[in-house]
Amino acid sequence: MPRRSPRTTLLLALPSALLLALVATHWSPLLTLDEDIARTTHRWAVSDWGITQVFRLLTDWVWDPVTMRLLCAGVALWLVWRRAAWWTALWLLATCAVAAVVQQAVKAGVGRPRPVWPDPVDSARFAAFPSGHAMTATVVCGLLLWLIREHGVHGPRWYGAVAVALVSVLGVGLTRIWLGVHWFSDVLGGWLFGALVVAGAVLVHGYRSKVRP
């Protein structure tokens, strides 16, 4: 994993930078795609109130950034208590903090408005790009999957963890688009920036492991 991290980080940085540039310059084909997807999903959200309420519950409580960060904090406490892994626990918490700073900095820099509807089914604050829910879920799930793998989890338990992570990351993105509070490219940006933060964090952890006496 550490050997592949520089290449992975670069491969994730390129599409992240490209998408950021396209959003910041209001690239017309991307805006058209976003609007088409948003109109369709909003129509579904208004007509199927049952699914909309379930998605609101999931996005506000299960996959909310606060919930995700509390999960990371719990894992950090476990690492200290059961493994005495102070460095890894601090690394985990620091990565979540860095992700939050990056997210807010990009939001402030781009200043992209959220979708506006005459009949909204949900509301959200701050700028739209990137999706904080999608980015936080990607960071937390990515870090925890890496830790699980590093601790030697294989077989059914590993595949179960991967399945839960995929459902969480993809699911939270779907809820944000369905509820009309994000464009598709906001969610895509959250996934890309989140994966980039994870790759960078793994790179840092790998270098720390090499120089540790």
Side-chain angles (χ1 to χ4, degrees), residues 84-154:
W86 286 92
W87 154 248
T88 301
L90 291 174
W91 165 84
L92 184 63
L93 295 176
T95 302
C96 288
V98 168
V101 171
V102 170
Q103 169 200 314
Q104 292 302 322
V106 176
K107 280 181 179 289
V110 176
R112 188 185 201 185
R114 292 179 184 268
V116 177
W117 307 104
D119 50 350
V121 299
D122 204 352
S123 62
R125 298 178 298 165
F126 308 116
F129 182 88
S131 165
H133 280 68
M135 183 171 175
T136 304
T138 303
V139 169
V140 171
C141 290
L143 292 174
L144 295 186
L145 281 180
W146 185 82
L147 285 172
I148 288 171
R149 194 67 167 179
E150 285 294 294
H151 282 83
V153 175
H154 299 282

Side-chain angles (χ1 to χ4, degrees), residues 11-183:
L11 289 176
L12 288 168
L14 293 175
S16 299
L18 176 60
L19 181 61
L20 174 60
L22 295 178
V23 171
T25 57
H26 310 290
W27 191 53
S28 180
L30 180 62
L31 298 183
T32 300
L33 175 64
D34 278 340
E35 290 168 359
D36 289 344
I37 294 173
R39 280 195 296 268
T40 300
T41 52
H42 182 68
R43 186 170 64 249
W44 294 342
V46 171
S47 63
D48 200 328
W49 194 243
I51 293 179
T52 298
Q53 290 301 97
V54 171
F55 281 2
R56 289 187 67 178
L57 176 65
L58 289 171
T59 200
D60 290 341
W61 295 99
V62 180
W63 295 322
D64 181 74
V66 174
T67 304
M68 292 285 105
R69 290 166 188 150
L70 287 175
L71 174 60
C72 255
V75 172
L77 288 174
W78 181 87
L79 287 169
V80 171
W81 178 46
R82 296 297 298 270
R83 304 273 181 164
W86 286 92
W87 154 248
T88 301
L90 291 174
W91 165 84
L92 184 63
L93 295 176
T95 302
C96 288
V98 168
V101 171
V102 170
Q103 169 200 314
Q104 292 302 322
V106 176
K107 280 181 179 289
V110 176
R112 188 185 201 185
R114 292 179 184 268
V116 177
W117 307 104
D119 50 350
V121 299
D122 204 352
S123 62
R125 298 178 298 165
F126 308 116
F129 182 88
S131 165
H133 280 68
M135 183 171 175
T136 304
T138 303
V139 169
V140 171
C141 290
L143 292 174
L144 295 186
L145 281 180
W146 185 82
L147 285 172
I148 288 171
R149 194 67 167 179
E150 285 294 294
H151 282 83
V153 175
H154 299 282
R157 289 189 298 168
W158 165 249
Y159 293 118
V162 171
V164 170
L166 285 175
V167 168
S168 298
V169 171
L170 297 176
V172 74
L174 173 61
T175 65
R176 304 311 284 167
I177 298 170
W178 180 280
L179 295 173
V181 293
H182 275 295
W183 307 104

